Amino acid sequence: MSSRELVVLGTASQVPTRRRNHNGYLLRWDREGILFDPGEGTQRQMLLAGVSATDLTRVCVTHFHGDHCLGLPGIVQRLSLDRVPHPVPVHFPAGGAGYFERLRHASSFHDVADVRAEPVGTDGQRFDIGAGVLEARRLRHPVETYGYRLLAPDGRRMLRDRLDAYGISGPAVGALQRDGHLDLDGRRVSLEAVSEHRRGQRFAFVMDTGLCDNVFALAEEADLLVIESTFLSVDAALAAEVGHLTAAQAGRVAAESGVRRLVLTHFSQRYPDPERFAAEAREEFGGDLVVADDLMRVPVPPTV
């Protein structure tokens, strides 16, 4: 199993269907388990997907419409029930702090988990986390809404032919990576001489929004973009009116932003055939495209 993957817990928009639960997305990223937008039924979907409460290290809520947050009380209480030993920060729009507090304490329970409110108050706000930098960008929706992107730190890719040319192998490679240079037979070999720059992987999460500059900013060069495609083009006027995207718009964002793998989700119940979303998005985007289904796992593409 990839150590960096998206576990899809739910893919419906405002109304769940027989096949689609309300929203819920877990990003496994090395030691991080970031839960995005837990809608109703997220606990049960976690059970079906083989995800435990102890897997969760952070929660990100884009906005306080019910299909994106009404599963939060159950998640918070499950953290206490399972006595999750580590802190779990929760990010959410600062203007919705009252909603968060009511969801956080929605009913009586033995509250022992270390759940930490870390609201987003400004466009472009960044949080340093173990996996890199988590950035939030303001989106265009009737209520205060933020999208998120995760930027892993850049690194170096070791070049085997250059290592061989210098006769460097085994533990010496690790020493070179650790110290930045290696003294070998009276000469100093730098890390730069036997490696090249490797851009850190990027993940973006864009939910309820009309098309705006920050959608593109979040998606820029994302290795994996998870984006709402609530409507089809036939209902583009309605999408614009209520602050949502069409599948074609999601495809355009991916194409113009250099996205490597596009995941469409948050589908309106009015469309019974999910392949219509794929067909419209493919008119704009010729890359790797996934139409999300509940309980699907989508690997983050490896660094190239």
Side-chain angles (χ1 to χ4, degrees):
M1 181 188 300
S2 169
S3 61
R4 294 182 177 180
E5 66 173 0
L6 177 76
V7 182
V8 180
L9 302 172
T11 56
S13 57
Q14 188 174 35
V15 177
T17 71
R18 292 180 183 274
R19 291 185 56 246
R20 297 187 183 277
N21 197 70
H22 266 157
N23 290 283
Y25 311 86
L26 175 73
L27 178 66
R28 294 188 186 273
W29 194 280
D30 303 334
R31 296 182 179 179
E32 291 273 355
I34 306 175
L35 178 64
F36 292 89
D37 281 5
E40 291 179 75
T42 294
Q43 270 198 92
R44 185 172 184 274
Q45 295 295 94
M46 286 171 57
L47 174 66
L48 295 174
V51 175
S52 73
T54 55
D55 292 332
L56 307 184
T57 61
R58 190 172 302 268
V59 179
C60 294
V61 176
T62 59
H63 66 294
F64 286 104
H65 277 157
D67 54 324
H68 296 260
C69 68
L70 286 179
L72 188 60
I75 294 299
V76 168
Q77 294 184 27
R78 186 61 178 270
L79 294 172
S80 282
L81 181 66
D82 289 4
R83 297 187 176 272
V84 171
H86 51 260
V88 179
V90 182
H91 305 292
F92 55 87
Y99 292 119
F100 173 74
E101 285 303 314
R102 289 192 287 275
L103 291 167
R104 169 78 174 81
H105 301 287
S107 67
S108 175
F109 69 104
H110 186 46
D111 188 0
V112 296
D114 187 0
V115 176
R116 301 180 180 182
E118 294 190 6
V120 179
T122 58
D123 182 29
Q125 187 170 346
R126 290 187 164 204
F127 301 88
D128 291 321
I129 66 176
V133 174
L134 183 69
E135 181 180 58
R137 291 276 187 168
R138 183 73 180 260
L139 296 174
R140 185 163 64 83
H141 199 53
V143 299
E144 185 181 3
T145 303
Y146 288 91
Y148 298 92
R149 70 171 179 165
L150 177 60
L151 306 171
D154 293 351
R156 306 290 304 182
R157 180 184 292 105
M158 306 304 292
L159 302 173
R160 174 49 56 189
D161 58 338
R162 296 189 189 178
L163 290 169
D164 290 343
Y166 283 104
I168 301 173
S169 62
V173 177
L176 178 60
Q177 291 175 313
R178 182 179 62 252
D179 300 331
H181 65 268
L182 185 68
D183 293 322
L184 189 66
D185 298 328
R187 57 180 176 172
R188 174 160 289 189
V189 180
S190 68
L191 179 61
E192 290 75 15
V194 294
S195 65
E196 63 184 7
H197 176 263
R198 184 188 69 228
R199 181 181 65 80
Q201 287 178 304
R202 298 181 179 187
F203 168 84
F205 186 80
V206 178
M207 281 294 118
D208 299 18
T209 183
L211 202 60
C212 61
D213 288 345
N214 273 346
V215 173
F216 292 92
L218 288 162
E220 182 181 3
E221 296 186 342
D223 295 286
L224 184 66
L225 168 63
V226 179
I227 188 168
E228 68 124 312
S229 57
T230 309
F231 292 99
L232 295 174
S233 295
V234 67
D235 294 310
L238 176 59
E241 178 184 342
V242 297
H244 280 290
L245 298 175
T246 66
Q249 288 174 323
R252 175 191 158 198
V253 169
E256 295 186 12
S257 303
V259 169
R260 296 180 61 206
R261 180 168 291 160
L262 169 64
V263 179
L264 302 178
T265 189
H266 195 271
F267 306 113
S268 170
Q269 77 279 5
R270 72 188 65 207
Y271 311 112
D273 181 8
E275 282 306 309
R276 295 178 65 190
F277 292 93
E280 289 200 356
R282 285 196 180 101
E283 292 179 3
E284 302 285 342
F285 178 66
D288 189 351
L289 173 63
V290 176
V291 176
D293 240 332
D294 288 22
L295 308 181
M296 175 184 285
R297 293 174 182 262
V298 184
V300 179
T303 303
V304 293

